[in-house]
């Protein structure tokens, strides 16, 4: 049983080896004719054979035979059994197989793996620089595949600036050499730069490359661009030579080279960087709601550096400017502001921070010490109106009470007079008997 398994394994290996030997890898230039031979096919008709295609033009295997007609003018079987593709294209990349039966009944199979290519035009360097500036310090290092500041700039604010302004600072720190362009190639291939005949490898310190690949929507051909930015070190050669080359995506194809360009290297004398100053108007940093604040970053270095602004430790997404104007300020503008000056010869430097605070002005009407805003003022007004109405109602009530009392007194006056007269009459009557008694008892 083990022997049978071993025999079966060897049979499988031999069959795979035979298939690998029978398969060929071919490359054809786009637009050119391609002829694929069917091995074992008789030279003269009638032949017993068929071709099977699996390419970008077919959803599955397509079968062609000598008796069939041309397939959409893409491919057809010749009288000798070969397969002709009059003008091969990108969609014709794929697998082609032929199975032929000889007059003796022997079956032969052929297999081809076809790829296409198109040689682009000679690459060229566009927008070349005239000179480069040497001496920019290496402020950028590679750590674990990510770009960070060197230890000299490890502050949290500097890291925030770096994360948002990397692309802008790359252009200011690294002068542009030029852009290498290759058009009309297939497959895409690659572009590479050379300095004085030696390969130039981007390192993020003194060499930076920005690449772009575009594909034509109709032809399917590729256009490559590679923008090179270099900062030569101080003390180097006064002239440097750059060139660019295109390497095809298929093996055994020679690279194409641009004409070299020679650039002068200018090494300016280092200028001490003075401390930058941040000036704010109004000077106190306190402004009324709706007012205007002007922040000016003064950096006396030549050439002038690029100025970026930071609020509460976060860079503001604004274009570089030495002046930051805050018109019609509101609560959202309160905070701590600083500016960062970036100079090619010195790197970034941050200013001292200033605080901006907003105060709310009080309009005429409510007392200066009142608080609570418009809602409390409205409540106070309503209470005042209600209080006034209450006082008016009280005064009216008092007046009516006094009038009612006065009328009551007038009604009581006659009654009191009659009572007084009755009392007087009673007194007179009581006095008369007493007088009579006194007269009777006399001598």
């Amino acid at each position: 049983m083990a022997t049978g398994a071993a025999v079966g394994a060897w049979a499988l290996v031999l069959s795979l080896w035979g298939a690998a030997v029978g398969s060929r890898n071919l490359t054809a230039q786009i637009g050119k004719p391609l002829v694929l031979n069917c091995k074992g096919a008789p030279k003269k008709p009638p032949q017993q054979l068929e071709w099977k295609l699996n390419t970008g033009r077919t959803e599955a295997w397509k079968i062609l035979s000598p008796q069939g007609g041309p397939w959409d003018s893409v491919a057809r079987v010749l009288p000798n059994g070969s397969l002709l593709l009059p003008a091969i294209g990108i969609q014709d990349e794929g697998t082609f197989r032929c199975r032929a039966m000889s007059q003796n009944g022997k079956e032969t199979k052929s297999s081809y793996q076809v790829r296409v290519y198109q040689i682009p035009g000679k690459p060229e360097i566009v927008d070349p620089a005239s000179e480069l500036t040497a001496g920019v310090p290496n402020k950028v290092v590679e750590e674990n595949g990510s770009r960070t500041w060197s230890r000299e700039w490890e502050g949290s604010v500097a890291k925030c600036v770096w994360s948002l302004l990397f692309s802008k600072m790359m252009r200011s720190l690294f002068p542009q050499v030029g852009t290498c362009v290759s058009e009309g190639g297939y497959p895409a291939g690659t572009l590479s730069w050379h300095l004085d005949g030696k390969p130039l490898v981007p390192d993020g310190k003194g060499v930076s490359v920005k690449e772009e690949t575009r594909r034509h929507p109709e032809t399917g051909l590729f256009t490559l661009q590679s923008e090179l930015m270099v900062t030569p070190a101080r003390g180097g050669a006064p002239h440097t030579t750059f060139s660019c080359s295109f390497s095809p995506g298929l093996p055994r194809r020679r690279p194409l080279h641009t004409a070299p360009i020679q650039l002068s290297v200018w090494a300016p004398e280092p200028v001490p960087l003075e401390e930058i100053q941040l000036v704010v108007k109004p000077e106190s940093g306190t402004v009324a709601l709706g007012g205007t604040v002007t922040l000016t970053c003064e950096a006396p270095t030549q050439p002038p550096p690029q100025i970026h602004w930071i609020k509460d430790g976060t860079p503001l997404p604004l274009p570089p400017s030495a002046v930051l104007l805050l018109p019609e300020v509101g609560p959202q503008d309160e905070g701590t502001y600083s500016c960062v000056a970036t100079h090619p010869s010195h790197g970034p430097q941050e200013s001292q921070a200033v605080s901006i605070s907003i105060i709310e002005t009080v309009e005429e009407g409510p007392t200066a010490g009142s608080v609570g805003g418009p809602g409390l003022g409205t409540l106070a007004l309503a209470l005042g109106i209600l209080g006034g109405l209450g006082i008016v109602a009280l005064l009216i009530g008092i007046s009516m009470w006094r009038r009612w009392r006065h009328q009551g007194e007038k009604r009581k006056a006659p009654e009191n007079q009659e009572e007084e007269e009755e009392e007087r009459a009673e007194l007179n009557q009581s006095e008369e008997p007493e007088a009579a008694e006194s007269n009777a008892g006399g001598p």
Side-chain angles (χ1 to χ4, degrees):
M1 188 173 184
T3 305
V7 172
W10 277 109
L12 178 62
V13 171
L14 291 175
S15 63
L16 293 176
W17 180 79
V21 171
S23 179
R24 294 181 56 190
N25 294 326
L26 298 179
T27 57
Q29 188 172 357
I30 294 176
K32 300 293 184 179
L34 176 65
V35 176
L36 301 177
N37 296 325
C38 184
K39 296 181 181 179
K43 298 299 181 182
K44 298 180 180 180
Q47 302 118 329
Q48 296 182 3
L49 60 88
E50 69 175 11
W51 281 92
K52 298 176 67 177
L53 291 67
N54 190 359
T55 66
R57 298 183 187 271
T58 62
E59 297 180 357
W61 288 97
K62 175 72 175 179
I63 300 178
L64 299 178
S65 62
Q67 293 77 19
W71 175 51
D72 295 335
S73 302
V74 174
R76 64 175 179 268
V77 180
L78 299 177
N80 63 355
S82 299
L83 184 67
L84 171 64
L85 287 82
I88 194 168
I90 296 176
Q91 293 182 332
D92 295 315
E93 284 189 318
T95 304
F96 297 78
R97 294 177 180 175
C98 178
R99 184 174 63 88
M101 186 73 68
S102 66
Q103 296 177 354
N104 300 330
K106 182 181 179 181
E107 183 178 283
T108 306
K109 296 182 179 180
S110 306
S111 180
Y112 300 91
Q113 201 68 29
V114 177
R115 297 187 64 186
V116 300
Y117 71 92
Q118 180 64 43
I119 301 176
K122 187 177 181 180
E124 59 177 344
I125 300 176
V126 299
D127 300 328
S130 58
E131 65 178 12
L132 299 176
T133 303
V136 176
N138 292 332
K139 298 298 181 185
V140 183
V141 295
E142 290 287 338
E143 294 181 2
N144 299 327
S146 62
R147 303 183 187 278
T148 60
W149 290 104
S150 64
R151 291 183 178 180
E152 187 176 355
W153 306 105
E154 279 186 349
S156 60
V157 174
K159 287 183 179 180
C160 293
V161 175
W162 178 255
S163 62
L164 292 179
L165 306 176
F166 173 75
S167 59
K168 295 182 180 179
M169 295 179 64
M170 284 294 95
R171 293 184 176 273
S172 63
L173 293 176
F174 300 98
Q176 181 179 351
V177 174
T179 302
C180 183
V181 179
S182 173
E183 296 181 340
Y186 186 88
T190 58
L191 292 175
S192 58
W193 288 91
H194 301 270
L195 172 61
D196 296 331
K198 298 180 180 180
L200 193 58
V201 180
D203 56 5
K205 299 179 181 180
V207 180
S208 176
V209 175
K210 179 182 178 182
E211 297 180 337
E212 181 182 359
T213 301
R214 299 192 305 270
R215 190 171 186 178
H216 196 281
E218 297 180 0
T219 64
L221 302 180
F222 290 94
T223 297
L224 306 182
Q225 289 187 358
S226 177
E227 182 181 359
L228 175 64
M229 292 171 284
V230 174
T231 301
R234 291 185 180 273
H239 298 89
T240 55
T241 301
F242 295 91
S243 62
C244 176
S245 62
F246 169 81
S247 299
L250 295 177
R252 297 190 298 274
R253 299 292 172 184
R254 294 182 179 180
L256 303 176
H257 303 279
T258 64
I261 59 173
Q262 190 177 61
L263 305 181
S264 301
V265 179
W266 176 62
E269 293 295 330
V271 179
L273 182 62
E274 300 182 16
E275 184 177 357
I276 60 176
Q277 300 291 332
L278 180 55
V279 180
V280 58
K281 291 183 180 180
E283 296 181 358
S284 62
T286 303
V287 62
L289 184 66
T292 300
V293 176
T294 304
L295 299 169
T296 304
C297 192
E298 298 180 351
T301 307
Q302 293 298 329
Q306 285 192 349
I307 306 296
H308 299 280
W309 293 92
I310 299 174
K311 178 189 176 186
D312 298 331
T314 302
L316 296 176
L318 301 173
S321 176
V323 178
L324 177 61
L325 181 64
L326 303 176
E328 299 181 0
V329 295
Q332 71 279 1
D333 296 311
E334 285 188 318
T336 302
Y337 291 80
S338 62
C339 63
V340 175
T342 303
H343 193 274
S345 299
H346 302 279
Q349 183 183 12
E350 186 179 359
S351 70
Q352 295 291 333
V354 297
S355 297
I356 302 299
S357 57
I358 311 298
I359 58 174
E360 296 186 4
T361 57
V362 180
E363 299 180 356
E364 295 182 0
T367 58
S370 63
V371 294
L376 192 56
T378 303
L379 180 59
L381 178 60
L383 292 177
I385 293 175
L386 292 176
L389 293 176
I391 293 173
V392 172
L394 180 60
L395 292 176
I396 294 174
I398 294 173
S399 176
M400 293 180 65
W401 178 78
R402 286 181 177 179
R403 183 178 300 176
W404 174 79
R405 183 179 179 184
H406 181 67
Q407 292 176 355
E409 291 177 352
K410 285 183 178 182
R411 286 195 302 267
K412 289 180 178 181
E415 295 178 357
N416 293 338
Q417 186 175 1
E418 292 178 357
E419 291 177 356
E420 289 178 357
E421 289 178 355
E422 291 178 357
E423 290 178 357
R424 288 174 184 174
E426 290 178 357
L427 291 174
N428 290 334
Q429 291 177 0
S430 61
E431 289 179 354
E432 288 178 357
E434 291 179 357
E437 292 178 358
S438 63
N439 290 332

